Amino acid sequence: MSNQDLIDYLKECGVCQVCQLRYLKARGSEYKDMKESFQKLNVEISNNEDESLTKKPRLNPCTTCLGLFSEEFQQEIIQKITSCNIDQFECQTIGIALSMPMLLQIRQLSMWFALIRKFGSKIDEDRSPDVPLKEAAKLILNPIICQQLNKTYNSEGILINVFLDHPDELDDVARLLKVNEAVFSMKNARGKKQLITRAYMEKMFIPTKLSAETFEKQFTIPCPIPSSGLTLKEVTLSGPCVFVAGRYRKLSRKLSHSPWVLQGKRVMEDSIQEIIIRTIAPHFGVDEDKIIFSSSGREDVDVRCLGRGRPFVLEIPNSKRITLPNALALQMELEIEKSAQISVNNLQMVTRDDLVHIKTGEEKKKKFYRALCVLERPITVEVLKKLDMPNGFEIEQITPIRVLHRRPLHPRPRMIYSTKAWVDNKNPKILIIDIISQAGTYIKELVHGDFGRTTPSFASIIGQPIDIIALDVVGIDLDWPADIDNRNINNNIKIEVVDSVAVEA
Ligand SMILES: [Zn+2]
């Protein structure tokens, strides 16, 4: 079978020149100057009216691509995209996703059977004889669309979803189901009803697994000349997914981390997550409920988080912008500060890869706390000495009574790396204790012992009752995101910042 034989036969079947090149396994630039490509492949293209198969609107579209590669249809796609207001996105790159009707895949298979009948063993039975339509579309359509929109290709950019359809799609899919029923199990490996997906078709609907005779009970070989071509059903745009990181400081003892709802009623009016998201979402042109907030750990409602603050990241899908200038970051930080409940700094864009910082190693991280505690009697030097443990100790904690309703009961060991205590200078019964502990330690229980469920505890160590009045997180063991001072970058705008102070009595 020479290339010429193949092309002559394809032409006879009504296959367009682009698709003819697909069957010659043309790659990349070979689709640009088709005439030259045919010459290189020793194929003569006759000078009759068929020559410009892709140029002239024809009565019948190509049998295998149904007109996908005709210039007319390409222009229709581009026009539809340009009518979609792509300029709403501040982004110079685009990705393109073509959603093709199933009948295109059926037609490729039909042509495959036809070629086997015509050329016998010269045609592979387990590897498709053409460059798949999706791949060819990428090679041919993507550069044209990029050029016309004056954008560069990058799958992380604005995603252009192009949905194609055909009037015969439903009919053909119904017949495809009949073929599937006749040949393959209707259940998949997990016992569920087998859905006919693109991937399933690529795997099962090949000549080594399905006979031409069975296929022919529902379809014709080669595929018939179509009376109508593909239609452009819809084009949708979605903006890139961007990530904004920062650090928050929690200044309130009456604020939950995420919306706190019990039996349909809100327990706390607001939350850290909501304050941050509702401030930032409008700047990215995204609905608040589409944004995902995550942080490196969290603190209890009544615990403040001071020091440099706790790292967090927002995942913002379908974003209208891909950059965050310092001035805008500062504006957001100032807006958040107006809440008087939290403050945010170091706001910046990060990449998806950066998320590993926040999502891994949580258990291994050290936590830095300052606890304000009260004893029944004035504090002695002996008590201070006992609580001064620079080398730390190990404790065993059974799930605290206060969280039993939401966490399973199990004992777990935790490291307390160091503790240091001193007496409040106004009240001899008040102790301030700095604690460095392993992540996941219940600090309140470490102090009072939780009726013997945490051992040892500060209470058992000093041999007398001790209670905790207030707790602050004073440091998070994560040097991320980068220390970007949006305030100083912006020409020394002076802002009063609530400082990392000792706990309030
Ligand atoms: Zn074609």
Side-chain angles (χ1 to χ4, degrees):
M1 170 192 76
S2 70
N3 283 346
Q4 190 71 55
D5 294 340
L6 175 66
I7 296 309
D8 288 345
Y9 179 65
L10 289 171
K11 227 186 267 178
E12 206 177 289
C13 297
V15 175
C16 77
Q17 284 193 341
V18 174
C19 289
Q20 288 169 24
L21 277 178
R22 282 200 302 118
Y23 282 92
L24 292 170
K25 300 266 180 182
R27 300 277 161 181
S29 58
E30 289 170 286
Y31 292 100
K32 277 196 187 121
D33 190 338
M34 298 206 293
K35 217 170 188 176
E36 190 188 300
S37 302
F38 278 119
Q39 264 169 17
K40 275 189 190 156
L41 292 160
N42 296 321
V43 175
E44 261 187 50
I45 36 174
S46 52
N47 283 328
N48 62 23
E49 56 184 340
D50 280 347
E51 187 185 355
S52 50
L53 273 175
T54 63
K55 293 224 166 84
K56 278 187 206 157
R58 299 169 68 245
L59 286 177
N60 301 105
C62 162
T63 9
T64 50
C65 73
L66 295 171
L68 176 63
F69 297 118
S70 73
E71 276 185 19
E72 207 188 357
F73 195 58
Q74 287 172 14
Q75 280 314 313
E76 195 183 331
I77 293 176
I78 287 164
Q79 266 165 26
K80 189 96 177 186
I81 296 172
T82 34
S83 72
C84 280
N85 185 19
I86 199 162
D87 295 331
Q88 64 182 298
F89 301 99
E90 173 233 45
C91 182
Q92 272 313 304
T93 57
I94 53 168
I96 300 158
L98 267 188
S99 164
M100 299 183 185
M102 211 69 120
L103 92 168
L104 274 175
Q105 232 167 322
I106 299 169
R107 282 182 167 263
Q108 311 314 299
L109 177 59
S110 173
M111 189 52 74
W112 190 353
F113 280 130
L115 291 173
I116 291 171
R117 276 192 184 162
K118 176 86 182 166
F119 300 107
S121 61
K122 298 278 191 303
I123 304 291
D124 266 341
E125 289 201 5
D126 55 357
R127 269 188 29 228
S128 74
D130 56 331
V131 173
L133 278 174
K134 276 226 157 175
E135 225 178 297
K138 267 186 209 158
L139 296 171
I140 299 164
L141 291 177
N142 290 8
I144 296 176
I145 295 174
C146 285
Q147 197 195 0
Q148 298 257 341
L149 298 176
N150 199 16
K151 304 263 185 200
T152 45
Y153 196 87
N154 183 328
S155 55
E156 304 259 291
I158 305 162
L159 186 65
I160 302 176
N161 296 290
V162 180
F163 298 92
L164 306 176
D165 202 0
H166 190 274
D168 296 339
E169 171 72 354
L170 286 179
D171 270 6
D172 274 20
V173 168
R175 281 188 265 162
L176 183 71
L177 285 170
K178 282 187 189 150
V179 175
N180 189 57
E181 227 167 282
V183 191
F184 302 116
S185 163
M186 292 300 287
K187 302 266 171 82
N188 65 15
R190 272 179 258 123
K192 298 241 170 79
K193 194 171 176 232
Q194 178 64 54
L195 297 173
I196 302 189
T197 59
R198 185 166 296 277
Y200 174 79
M201 265 200 87
E202 273 164 17
K203 193 174 150 219
M204 305 303 280
F205 283 72
I206 54 176
T208 47
K209 292 188 179 155
L210 174 71
S211 73
E213 291 68 35
T214 313
F215 181 78
E216 227 172 0
K217 283 185 184 145
Q218 298 295 336
F219 301 100
T220 33
I221 299 175
C223 33
I225 306 277
S227 52
S228 49
L230 290 175
T231 54
L232 186 51
K233 194 173 167 191
E234 199 187 4
V235 170
T236 62
L237 303 181
S238 47
C241 186
V242 298
F243 301 89
V244 172
R247 288 170 170 268
Y248 74 76
R249 297 199 295 170
K250 178 171 177 279
L251 312 169
S252 165
R253 294 198 190 278
K254 285 177 186 155
L255 185 66
S256 60
H257 189 82
S258 43
W260 186 5
V261 180
L262 260 186
Q263 288 163 343
K265 279 190 187 154
R266 287 203 69 129
V267 182
M268 290 273 154
E269 258 179 48
D270 216 341
S271 67
I272 296 172
Q273 178 184 320
E274 288 162 291
I275 295 172
I276 295 178
I277 289 181
R278 74 165 166 261
T279 309
I280 290 180
H283 294 284
F284 288 85
V286 177
D287 289 342
E288 288 169 30
D289 59 348
K290 297 288 187 304
I291 297 182
I292 301 167
F293 172 83
S294 20
S295 60
S296 174
R298 53 166 65 198
E299 54 286 305
D300 285 343
V301 170
D302 56 351
V303 173
R304 298 188 304 178
C305 178
L306 306 174
R308 290 175 64 204
R310 189 182 292 281
F312 68 89
V313 67
L314 299 174
E315 182 176 339
I316 308 174
N318 197 5
S319 170
K320 300 285 188 295
R321 58 164 54 246
I322 56 162
T323 57
L324 180 53
N326 293 109
L328 182 57
L330 177 64
Q331 192 189 326
M332 294 173 185
E333 290 175 5
L334 295 177
E335 273 176 59
I336 290 171
E337 206 153 279
K338 281 187 198 147
S339 73
Q341 304 205 79
I342 60 169
S343 75
V344 159
N345 56 37
N346 294 163
L347 265 189
Q348 59 194 278
M349 290 295 237
V350 295
T351 65
R352 188 186 287 277
D353 291 343
D354 283 326
L355 301 196
V356 297
H357 296 294
I358 220 157
K359 291 194 168 154
T360 56
E362 190 51 42
E363 282 286 287
K364 292 196 187 95
K365 282 173 191 155
K366 285 181 182 172
K367 302 279 163 158
F368 303 80
Y369 295 99
R370 178 163 291 180
L372 191 70
C373 304
V374 61
L375 278 72
E376 289 170 353
R377 301 190 288 271
I379 293 140
T380 60
V381 174
E382 205 179 329
V383 165
L384 286 182
K385 272 189 184 161
K386 281 181 178 165
L387 291 175
D388 193 9
M389 292 176 278
N391 297 320
F393 55 101
E394 197 178 31
I395 59 166
E396 181 118 329
Q397 282 196 314
I398 297 176
T399 311
I401 292 168
R402 68 185 165 99
V403 297
L404 262 185
H405 61 284
R406 54 191 163 101
R407 301 258 159 85
L409 178 69
H410 64 96
R412 48 184 194 171
R414 278 290 178 272
M415 271 311 293
I416 308 302
Y417 299 109
S418 77
T419 60
K420 184 168 176 53
W422 63 90
V423 185
D424 180 75
N425 52 17
K426 290 189 201 108
N427 185 338
K429 291 182 185 172
I430 300 276
L431 257 184
I432 296 155
I433 311 176
D434 276 353
I435 305 153
I436 303 177
S437 73
Q438 185 183 353
T441 306
Y442 295 107
I443 299 297
K444 291 168 185 170
E445 285 67 22
L446 167 68
V447 173
H448 58 61
D450 200 22
F451 306 101
R453 297 159 66 89
T454 291
T455 50
S457 64
F458 291 164
S460 74
I461 288 168
I462 63 172
Q464 57 174 294
I466 172 171
D467 210 352
I468 185 163
I469 306 168
L471 183 65
D472 285 345
V473 173
V474 289
I476 312 283
D477 184 19
L478 174 59
D479 202 15
W480 180 91
D483 226 339
I484 287 178
D485 190 346
N486 289 313
R487 292 155 207 257
N488 279 336
I489 290 170
N490 284 277
N491 304 326
N492 303 320
I493 303 171
K494 282 268 178 270
I495 289 109
E496 196 106 339
V497 186
V498 187
D499 215 340
S500 154
V501 290
V503 286
E504 57 204 27

